[in-house]
Amino acid sequence: RNGIEPSRFKNKVGVKNPNKIIFPSSPDRGLDRAIKIVEMARQELPDLELHVFYGFDNLRKYGQAAMADQLEKMISERPWVKYHGFTEQKELARHMMESSVWLYPANFIESFCITVLEALSSKCYPIAREIGALQDTLKEAAHDGMATLLDMNCETEEEYKVWTKELVDAVREERWKDVSVDPDRFSWESVAKEWVDMLGLNKKQEAVEHLEHVLEGSYG
């Protein structure tokens, strides 16, 4: 697994804005879907806002300018979509701690997803698609009532209605209040300890030496 820097979240209390929904991932991973879900949810909760981060530079850099143009047009046509672009990590953590829901109707296969650990550490309720590693990374939180995993895509009208209902219910029920985790559980320090324990080593230095030996063998 991956880890986070817990000092960005530990012992820091954000003033929650129940109408603030956050999408901090790469825009090609479902931003268009998130915009449509919030747009539908605003029919019942008209004060909802979607706060978007990350930026579009990578899309244009890797030949996806048409997608970037389309998404930027969607944002510009909707004043309730607040585009922040590339944001420094401490500032992003502050926005997460202010947000009530992390909405991720992904069409991307995550290999882990650090962002969801940051959302949980911010008391921000995740609503995500049960796809790729998300089904494992969020499994415990979903079981404990601190997240919603939807085992469905977000393409048809009926699927959009399900996603919209989940968002509306999460905001109305203030589910962010049920999110309670210790950010230290997700620290890189805890990741290192797992490796030390798994390798049967007593010291971090021994773990480093062991991994160096393995790498030397792998690369000759």
Side-chain angles (χ1 to χ4, degrees), residues 7-103:
S7 64
R8 295 179 188 143
F9 310 95
K10 193 175 180 182
N11 299 324
K12 297 177 181 178
V13 179
V15 178
K16 284 293 178 187
N17 177 354
N19 295 309
K20 185 171 181 175
I21 315 303
I22 194 167
F23 187 95
S25 300
S26 181
D28 58 308
R29 299 182 183 184
L31 175 58
D32 57 338
R33 300 173 174 199
I35 291 174
K36 292 176 184 177
I37 292 167
V38 176
E39 188 163 54
M40 292 174 67
R42 279 172 53 84
Q43 295 177 21
E44 298 186 54
L45 301 171
D47 292 329
L48 288 185
E49 296 178 349
L50 180 64
H51 289 253
V52 178
F53 298 82
Y54 201 95
F56 295 95
D57 291 350
N58 282 345
L59 292 189
R60 291 194 164 85
K61 184 177 180 181
Y62 294 107
Q64 294 180 299
M67 180 186 292
D69 291 342
Q70 177 190 2
L71 290 170
E72 287 185 327
K73 185 173 184 293
M74 290 181 72
I75 290 172
S76 67
E77 293 173 343
R78 296 162 174 84
W80 46 267
V81 179
K82 309 299 182 181
Y83 176 63
H84 300 267
F86 178 79
T87 304
E88 192 273 332
Q89 287 293 320
K90 289 182 180 179
E91 180 69 6
L92 178 57
R94 182 183 68 79
H95 280 283
M96 281 191 166
M97 287 185 282
E98 292 176 353
S99 301
S100 65
V101 173
W102 175 71
L103 181 63

Side-chain angles (χ1 to χ4, degrees), residues 18 37 45 75 83 99 101 111 114 120 125 153 155-156 166 183 195 198 202 211-212:
I37 292 167
L45 301 171
I75 290 172
Y83 176 63
S99 301
V101 173
S111 59
I114 293 175
L120 290 170
Y125 187 87
N153 205 339
E155 293 181 345
T156 69
E166 287 294 336
W195 275 94
M198 182 177 66
N202 296 319
L211 290 172
E212 288 177 344

Side-chain angles (χ1 to χ4, degrees), residues 52-220:
V52 178
F53 298 82
Y54 201 95
F56 295 95
D57 291 350
N58 282 345
L59 292 189
R60 291 194 164 85
K61 184 177 180 181
Y62 294 107
Q64 294 180 299
M67 180 186 292
D69 291 342
Q70 177 190 2
L71 290 170
E72 287 185 327
K73 185 173 184 293
M74 290 181 72
I75 290 172
S76 67
E77 293 173 343
R78 296 162 174 84
W80 46 267
V81 179
K82 309 299 182 181
Y83 176 63
H84 300 267
F86 178 79
T87 304
E88 192 273 332
Q89 287 293 320
K90 289 182 180 179
E91 180 69 6
L92 178 57
R94 182 183 68 79
H95 280 283
M96 281 191 166
M97 287 185 282
E98 292 176 353
S99 301
S100 65
V101 173
W102 175 71
L103 181 63
Y104 195 38
N107 58 359
F108 175 80
I109 306 295
E110 293 281 0
S111 59
F112 183 78
C113 192
I114 293 175
T115 303
V116 74
L117 299 186
E118 295 177 330
L120 290 170
S121 297
S122 304
K123 288 185 67 67
C124 183
Y125 187 87
I127 301 176
R129 184 179 171 197
E130 191 172 0
I131 185 175
L134 285 169
Q135 58 192 320
D136 297 312
T137 307
L138 266 179
K139 183 177 181 179
E140 181 180 343
H143 178 269
D144 293 340
M146 296 190 293
T148 293
L149 277 171
L150 289 174
D151 185 18
M152 66 167 59
N153 205 339
C154 190
E155 293 181 345
T156 69
E157 182 179 353
E158 290 306 312
E159 288 169 342
Y160 269 105
K161 287 180 179 178
V162 173
W163 278 87
T164 300
K165 183 179 185 305
E166 287 294 336
L167 175 58
V168 169
D169 288 349
V171 173
R172 281 182 171 162
E173 296 168 10
E174 298 185 315
R175 292 183 189 170
W176 61 268
K177 291 182 177 179
D178 297 326
V179 180
S180 179
V181 300
D182 180 0
D184 281 336
R185 283 187 54 200
F186 305 136
S187 69
W188 283 109
E189 183 78 13
S190 69
V191 175
K193 184 179 184 304
E194 284 186 8
W195 275 94
V196 169
D197 293 342
M198 182 177 66
L199 295 171
L201 303 170
N202 296 319
K203 300 177 182 177
K204 291 180 185 177
Q205 183 58 38
E206 292 180 17
V208 171
E209 292 173 356
H210 179 82
L211 290 172
E212 288 177 344
H213 177 72
V214 172
L215 290 172
E216 288 174 0
S218 299
Y219 295 101

